[in-house]
Amino acid sequence: MFKRIFYEDWATIIQMSAFVILFTVFLVTTIRAIRLRPSERRRLASLPLEDQER
Amino acid sequence: MNTTTITYDDKTVRQFMIFSIIWGIVGMLVGVIAATQLSWWQMNGKFLEAITFGLFQGDGLQYITFGRLRPLHTNAVIFAFVGNMMFAGVYYSTQRLCKTRTASDLLSKIHMWGWQLIIVAAAITLPAGLTRGKEYAELIWPINIAVALIWVIFAVNFFWTLAKRNEPSLYVALWFYIATIVTVAMLYIVNHLSIPTSLIHSYPVFGGLQDALVQWWYGHNAVAFFLTTPILGIMYYYLPKAANRPVYSYRLSIVHFWSLVFIYIWAGPHHLLNTSLPRWLQMLGMLFSLMLWAPSWGGMLNGLLTLRGAWAKLRTDPVIKFFAAGVTFYGMATFEGPLLSIRAVNQLSHYTDWTIGHVHSGALGWNGFMAAGMFYWLAPRLWKTRLWSTSLANMHFWIGLVGILLYVAAMWTAGVLQGLMLGETNPDGTTLKYEFVETLKAIQVEYILRSFGGLLFLLGFILCAVNIWKTARSGQPHNDTVEVTVPETEKDEMPLGKTIFNDPVAYSLLGCVLLCLWFFLPPHADKAALIALVLLAVKGVHGFKRNGMKWNNWHERLLHNYLPFTILVAVAVIIGGAVQIIPSLLVNRDDNIEGRLQELYTPLELAGRDIYVSEGCYNCHSQMIRTLMPDVLRYGRAGHDDDFSHLGESIYDHPFQWGSKRTGPDLAREGGPLVEGSEHVRSGRRDNKWHWFHFRNPRWANQDSNMPPYPWLFEEKTDIKALPKKIAVQTQLGVPYEAMDKHEIEQAALDQATAISRTLFEGEAPVTYDGMPEATGEELVAEFSQRKIIALIAYMQKLGSYRVVEKDGPPEPTPLDPDSYRSLTGRSLEYRDGKTAASEAEAEPTN
């Protein structure tokens, strides 16, 4: 397998692996982001605004 | 409900901010001087004659040549300007997001003053020529240790603050800070692994290709995790504050963070496209760079859309102006980066000023403007007053913006023009149309415009300094005191054991291990690993069905637990680094090299190489003929097939010297074979006398050259005594020097230096030296055999020397289809042999 990366189907393997990795990370984080409760989301988003403003 | 009163430590924030502005101006001023040096060689020291009214006499001053100032500029801007700005932003926002004071005032003090001492040490050592010779990693090893220690102190203080926070949730800005701290520590330590030869000199443990790969893994991610992720954290905190509305999409910020952190770390090899780096690594770097478009633009849009409903402020509020322009430049720079990472585009852009333009649209537009916006927002709060002058801040904005646009446009034009000229051939297609120096002459107008653009940006920052100083004078240093609620909900309840030993993590880790085994095991064993992987996946799906809620909870809890969060970030970045670097460490060793294998440097040549590195020659000259026709035509040798730089030709170079920008021509084939009958003297493209005159006055060789003269190399002595230790360290690093004792090494160096000196001062048309007008040839030989110029000439004449290694029974290379890079099929083999449908029809007799 290692040899194949170097000499044979490297182009296909790297492209596919890269795409699969990106897609997995993207999918998992997107699902997690979508499933975040709206109330929690609003609370987290307004955290910087909670301290006292002049 | 319990409450507690907190007084934030804003003194540290003020100090970091002030130092950021001071060092920023210093760094930018050095940058402007360095830029003018490319237009007027006199700016390398000769100009001092005029401004000191003749007190200083000389063609150049070693402490301010381009080769030494450029590292000072980059280090000052990255680590001093952006570093201090980042620390100011992090200290201010972390305390407020955690609703607690920084954990330790003592650690904050050590961090702040320690960092400034490091900067002062860099400002002394870099102009003195003390360097490791790797871009953005030039500082010598004792300073490296100090940087690592101070960074650890910063990390301890930060995580300690997280641990005692009064807000259970970790806001997204803190995620970016965590990623910065973890990843920069990893990158810095790995790329700075060195073995000292003295208190001020060391050799990096990696050499040649390995060193190149590690360097650009570090270099690229220094941009990613020092200049980008902390500033994104700052964006996610300060932009909502300035616009007085929450971030546009918190969901998008989650996707932005994880995608960015996961992908960024893989993209380093795009700095080495079309070089002798293995193709699979080049492709990896290119693809991951292209993928970066998505998260980068997601982040940019999230930042800009946070201003929805607040756009009216753009007309009046300089803070919003700087932030909006800064985020826009982030978008432009992150669009351009992946574009330049496409191999075909990189053919044109690499080694030219296009890259410099790209870097500065990020550094000036993104970092510089975000810094300015943050300073203008912070100053009235830190000194409890109003900004001294909004008009002056607006003027800073417009002067800075014009400066950036001028700079970037000039560099784009210069880069594309020079790149095209360098590749242009005569009508016969076999010879190049332009000499290198002609292409340099063609971009002089752009170089002047660049200097002017940089000067405008610097002027803008001087206005900022005045404004902040006046603001500080009009108020009093102020530390916010607030009352916060002590949380009743649990936080950080997930200990280390629970973080790792739970189903989602166990399945993921085991899955990764089996995936690696499938990749790397020999035939049949890899299939077994694949089957085990499938079975694990099936079991994982069943497990999720049974305990789905528990798995979800694990992730929800992650957002309230900084330790497992940090571990996950570390895993994400370590995987990306390991996949690139470990295979190269295992495979790219000299005993695996077939074909060209670098010849070892003699002791004198090694000393010359150290002088080359010390003078920062790599800032302008590459030593890498890319696998591209224009490169081979220009720098290759007639009569040699495939005369691009091969992987084995620089395998013993600690550090590698492939370079990243060609202000002068490539030097990979500058050297040549031994002169007939001599054991010491080589003659390459040019003879020793040419080098002698060229180093004294580059205009002697070509009147349009912008290279500085190096008169001090004719005065200073080579450190021959240091060579035994240096060679011992090289041997330790795997360079196969034969056993030599101290005296043999010193004698070998002296013998070669004497032989080279004789070619200069004896025979036909001997050279003379103004400093010793009365000296005889023999006296000159005796004197100059100890001087740096001779060692440097020895090194120049050795460049590109290799021997060819034949190996018995190497595996036959498998020819690939040139279009798809896949194995040739029966059909494509027929095409290769010229059998096409047309030829077959022609061959068959028709009835």
Side-chain angles (χ1 to χ4, degrees), chain A residues 1-38 40-54, chain B residues 96-97 99 167 169 171 236-237 240-241 244-247 250-251 254-255 258-259 262-263 266 278-280 283-284 287-288 291 377 381 384 478 480 482 518-521 526 552 555-556 559-560 583 587 816 821-823:
Chain A
M1 187 69 197
F2 188 55
K3 195 183 120 198
R4 284 211 300 280
I5 294 177
F6 273 93
Y7 296 110
E8 293 168 26
D9 298 331
W10 58 269
T12 314
I13 288 169
I14 296 300
Q15 282 168 20
M16 292 306 290
S17 313
F19 179 74
V20 167
I21 288 165
L22 171 77
F23 191 73
T24 310
V25 171
F26 178 75
L27 200 67
V28 170
T29 52
T30 305
I31 290 169
R32 291 312 317 157
I34 289 171
R35 286 178 62 96
L36 202 63
R37 286 191 304 277
E40 177 72 352
R41 206 174 64 226
R42 277 193 294 275
R43 196 184 71 77
L44 287 169
S46 56
L47 273 179
L49 305 175
E50 276 185 12
D51 62 345
Q52 293 184 359
E53 273 295 291
R54 233 162 298 271
Chain B
R96 278 139 181 101
L97 289 169
K99 295 176 182 164
E167 165 55 56
S169 303
Y171 181 65
Y236 275 117
Y237 179 78
K241 298 286 276 187
N244 201 23
R245 59 201 62 228
V247 63
Y250 200 77
R251 284 170 171 166
I254 295 175
V255 181
W258 282 111
S259 307
F262 206 95
I263 297 172
W266 296 70
R279 280 279 181 97
W280 71 274
M283 189 56 81
L284 192 77
L287 283 168
F288 274 85
M291 288 179 195
W377 187 87
R381 288 160 178 83
K384 208 168 173 56
H478 169 75
D480 271 345
V482 293
W518 174 48
F519 259 57
F520 296 110
L521 284 179
D526 62 349
N552 278 340
H555 186 271
E556 293 295 321
L559 304 180
H560 301 257
V587 174
L816 298 177
Y821 286 105
R822 294 182 181 183
S823 302

Side-chain angles (χ1 to χ4, degrees), chain B residues 510-511 513-519 521-540:
Chain B
L510 211 56
V513 170
L514 288 172
L515 201 64
C516 288
L517 290 176
W518 174 48
F519 259 57
L521 284 179
H524 304 303
D526 62 349
K527 290 184 189 71
L530 180 62
I531 292 166
L533 182 66
V534 172
L535 290 175
L536 183 79
V538 172
K539 191 164 175 357

Side-chain angles (χ1 to χ4, degrees), chain B residues 347-348 352 416-426 429 431-434 439 626 628-631 633-634:
Chain B
Q347 286 186 14
L348 177 69
T352 75
V416 172
L417 178 62
Q418 192 177 26
L420 289 173
M421 285 180 80
L422 285 168
E424 196 163 342
T425 56
N426 283 312
T431 52
L432 291 163
K433 189 168 179 181
Y434 299 105
T439 70
R626 293 176 295 167
L628 300 170
M629 191 53 78
D631 262 37
L633 272 178
R634 185 172 297 277

